[in-house]
Amino acid sequence: METVIGKDIVIAKQILDAGDLVAIPTETVYGLAANALNEDAVLKIFKAKNRPQFNPLIIHLPIWRAAEKYVTEIPAVVNELAMHFSPGPITFLLPKKSIVPDLVTAGSNKVAIRIPAHPLSMQLLKTLDYPVAAPSANPFGYVSPTMAQHVYDGLKGKIPYILDGGACNIGVESTIVDFENGDVIIRRNGGIIKEMIEEVTGKPVLVFTEATDHPVAPGQLKSHYATTTPLYVGDKKLLKKQFSGKKIIELGFGVDSSSEGYNLSIASNADEAAKNIFSFLRRADNEQADVIITGLLPGIGLGRAVNDRLLRAQHNMKD
Ligand code: TXA
Ligand code: MG
């Protein structure tokens, strides 16, 4: 199959209508989209990504109002959060209606819903009479794509079309938010940080994003976003000693003279680091080094989402 990169939403719609896959830009990362109500189309996502079917998919809509077609109830706090943050990097887990195939939710009675904030994809979604299921558009387990070229590198020959919307603005995935017994629970740290949610809800938000091999809510796989070159996260001085004599590539943050080429943000800005993280991991991975080493960012703001991705990308966490 020839994979075309283009900017034509009419072609993208035709392909999706025909039950095939289109990679779409969002503000977080590129998604691999299919008609969420067509099981054969959704199956193609799992196949192209080589993704296990126990891992459910987020459905994407052009406007929050459309969510009611796919969920049985929307708690008031969810409407409130959606007013503040949708379109944007936040995903809501809500009880699904039967119109949503079990394949999309991996058998769960909750469906993940997100309104992505990207003009081109927004235009495309508005022309469709179904939501699209879309995981990140990378082979399962590898680094997420933040440019059309990244999608091409990973999935060429497996998908017909990549809608090119430029580089992703946020650079890490959406925050996944769950609701149980009146509590708001973050299942994945992402583009909307905990404090922003708490400001809206007026009470503490629980965070349950533990790394595990057998996730209660999938999406918490211990090894994910992984480079082919082993990545080690820790004290870089010690890591350098440990790997002396090997070819080492360093990722840096802040004034960190020894990692100029791969400095996530010289200005120590976590938002800038989030925008760069997946792109720099890919570049570092292409250097044919023996190891990639990095420290963690301060655990505030988007630093938490970046650290989460780094820790899951770490090879020595793979059992
Ligand atoms: O920013 C994003 O969320 C991007 C863009 C493309 O929208 N999408 C994304 O999809 O990151 P994916 O599939 O790479 O990650 C979604 C995570 C998965 O780890 C999945 O397990 C979790 O969301 N998830 C999806 N549906 C779920 C459900 N019904 N219950 C629990 N977790 C769910
Ligand atoms: Mg992903």
Side-chain angles (χ1 to χ4, degrees):
M1 182 188 299
E2 195 206 349
T3 301
V4 175
I5 302 181
K7 295 176 190 290
D8 193 329
I9 60 169
V10 176
I11 293 176
K13 174 177 161 51
Q14 279 166 0
I15 295 170
L16 289 169
D17 285 349
D20 280 317
L21 307 182
V22 174
I24 59 168
T26 83
E27 79 281 32
T28 58
V29 302
Y30 274 73
L32 184 58
N35 176 348
L37 307 182
N38 175 340
E39 293 202 30
D40 291 334
V42 173
L43 269 174
K44 290 180 185 172
I45 295 178
F46 289 98
K47 214 172 143 209
K49 278 186 59 101
N50 204 9
R51 174 176 171 122
Q53 282 181 30
F54 64 75
N55 202 0
L57 305 173
I58 297 173
I59 69 170
H60 297 69
L61 294 166
I63 39 165
W64 175 243
R65 249 197 344 271
E68 64 188 35
K69 285 192 228 163
Y70 307 103
V71 303
T72 55
E73 67 168 286
I74 302 179
V77 65
V78 178
N79 273 320
E80 186 90 354
L81 288 170
M83 299 281 236
H84 279 84
F85 303 124
S86 294
I90 190 163
T91 296
F92 301 104
L93 293 177
L94 293 166
K96 81 177 191 79
K97 283 189 176 159
S98 58
I99 182 177
V100 180
D102 288 329
L103 182 61
V104 168
T105 64
S108 166
N109 57 4
K110 285 187 183 173
V111 59
I113 297 192
R114 174 163 121 75
I115 321 300
H118 189 288
L120 200 56
S121 288
M122 188 75 95
Q123 262 184 48
L124 170 65
L125 292 178
K126 279 183 179 154
T127 68
L128 307 176
D129 53 11
Y130 46 83
V132 299
S136 52
N138 50 281
F140 181 70
Y142 193 64
V143 182
S144 302
T146 54
M147 303 197 304
Q149 184 65 41
H150 295 162
V151 180
Y152 188 83
D153 292 343
L155 298 177
K156 63 174 171 294
K158 296 184 171 163
I159 61 173
Y161 200 68
I162 301 169
L163 188 62
D164 187 353
C168 302
N169 257 333
I170 304 279
V172 290
E173 290 85 348
S174 60
T175 301
I176 299 182
V177 186
D178 199 357
F179 305 89
E180 266 171 27
N181 309 318
D183 284 324
V184 179
I185 307 166
I186 292 182
R187 299 280 183 200
R188 177 176 73 183
N189 281 311
I192 299 290
I193 64 171
K194 176 175 165 244
E195 288 78 5
M196 294 165 75
I197 296 174
E198 287 175 338
E199 215 164 282
V200 174
T201 63
K203 64 174 199 172
V205 165
L206 309 181
V207 181
F208 189 81
T209 57
E210 231 125 278
T212 163
D213 281 334
H214 300 284
V216 187
Q220 302 172 313
L221 288 170
K222 203 153 106 177
S223 174
H224 214 66
Y225 316 105
T227 46
T228 306
T229 308
L231 171 80
Y232 289 84
V233 183
D235 182 311
K236 286 204 286 183
K237 268 198 198 118
L238 292 178
L239 288 169
K240 270 187 214 167
K241 246 185 226 154
Q242 184 183 341
F243 296 112
S244 67
K246 303 245 181 203
K247 181 173 176 190
I248 300 174
I249 300 288
E250 272 184 64
L251 294 187
F253 181 72
V255 186
D256 191 341
S257 57
S258 55
S259 55
E260 279 161 7
Y262 293 100
N263 199 313
L264 293 168
S265 170
I266 292 173
S268 298
N269 179 328
D271 293 2
E272 187 183 6
K275 208 177 284 190
N276 287 331
I277 181 67
F278 287 136
S279 196
F280 283 19
L281 280 174
R282 282 169 183 267
R283 281 163 56 187
D285 205 14
N286 289 335
E287 293 258 6
Q288 317 290 346
D290 296 310
V291 289
I292 305 167
I293 66 170
T294 182
L296 289 173
L297 273 57
I300 48 171
L302 284 193
R304 286 197 291 256
V306 172
N307 288 344
D308 169 85
R309 306 308 185 268
L310 287 173
L311 289 170
R312 285 182 218 268
Q314 193 170 216
H315 264 239
N316 53 5
M317 285 184 74
K318 257 186 190 162
D319 294 330

